[in-house]
Amino acid sequence: MLLGEILHRGAIQTFLKSTEKFAAIDELIDVLIDSQDLTMAQRESARDAIIAREQSMGTGMEMGIALPHGSSEQVENLVGALGISRDGIDFNCLDGDLAHLILLLVLPRDEIQVHVRTLAGISHLLNGDAFRKSLLDAKDAGTILKLIRKEERSSIFDGFRRRFK
């Protein structure tokens, strides 16, 4: 799945309040609940899966990106939330930098192929410096979503999309 298919305005938090990674994970899970992508009944299972993944292998990437994610038997469809941290959050990123773009994903446990393709697509999408900067500079969720969808439609992303369909 493409990120522009997963996210919607209600699942984008342009100013994360959290300053610590587990608090940011909780904040983004609550964004998913508020946007009705997760129910309160699914909250604990989703949180446990993401925290377990984070403790076994950190999800801080490079270039200011963190991808906390986990799979849950209680979730039928992949859901995600994007949070922007202006100050940055320590997700133990591989390059030692703080994470400013935090993309939280909750995946159905039995859809490993979708999981791998989605993470690969997101990594490819967020690889460009100018694109990441445009996301960080965006003032609202609608603009962020438009930027993501435009980038995913671009010819640069087209070859990747065909390979992973």
Side-chain angles (χ1 to χ4, degrees):
M1 277 185 96
L2 297 175
L3 186 56
E5 297 168 341
I6 298 166
L7 294 178
H8 55 87
R9 285 186 177 132
I12 299 172
Q13 183 75 3
T14 54
F15 295 97
L16 283 176
K17 297 174 188 97
S18 304
T19 59
E20 185 269 328
K21 75 175 171 178
F22 294 116
I25 289 169
D26 285 337
E27 186 175 346
L28 289 171
I29 289 172
D30 289 340
V31 165
L32 290 173
I33 291 169
D34 291 345
S35 66
Q36 299 180 348
D37 291 309
L38 287 179
T39 65
M40 280 302 288
Q42 294 170 315
R43 187 184 197 289
E44 186 176 346
S45 171
R47 185 183 190 282
D48 289 349
I50 293 166
I51 297 298
R53 172 65 170 87
E54 194 66 42
Q55 290 174 335
S56 72
M57 180 181 285
T59 58
M61 309 305 281
E62 295 178 317
M63 302 175 290
I65 302 166
L67 294 172
H69 60 280
S71 57
S72 169
E73 292 176 0
Q74 292 188 12
V75 175
E76 294 179 22
N77 299 305
L78 184 145
V79 295
L82 174 64
I84 309 289
S85 171
R86 303 298 168 187
D87 296 328
I89 298 171
D90 185 0
F91 265 84
N92 299 318
C93 291
L94 298 172
D95 57 7
D97 287 345
L98 298 176
H100 295 275
L101 293 169
I102 297 97
L103 180 61
L104 180 133
L105 298 173
V106 185
L107 306 112
R109 189 167 305 265
D110 59 349
E111 294 190 25
I112 298 301
Q113 200 69 329
V114 171
H115 179 145
V116 170
R117 287 181 181 157
T118 300
L119 290 174
I122 290 166
S123 295
H124 184 77
L125 177 69
L126 296 177
N127 199 37
D129 291 335
F131 178 65
R132 282 192 317 279
K133 184 176 178 349
S134 70
L135 293 179
L136 292 170
D137 290 343
K139 300 297 182 212
D140 59 65
T143 301
I144 289 171
L145 199 53
K146 285 179 188 174
L147 289 166
I148 290 169
R149 290 176 177 165
K150 180 181 177 187
E151 188 71 12
E152 288 177 331
R153 285 191 308 268
S154 76
S155 60
I156 294 168
F157 199 75
D158 193 48
F160 180 85
R161 189 175 46 248
R162 280 195 307 267
R163 226 177 350 152
F164 279 93
K165 242 183 176 184

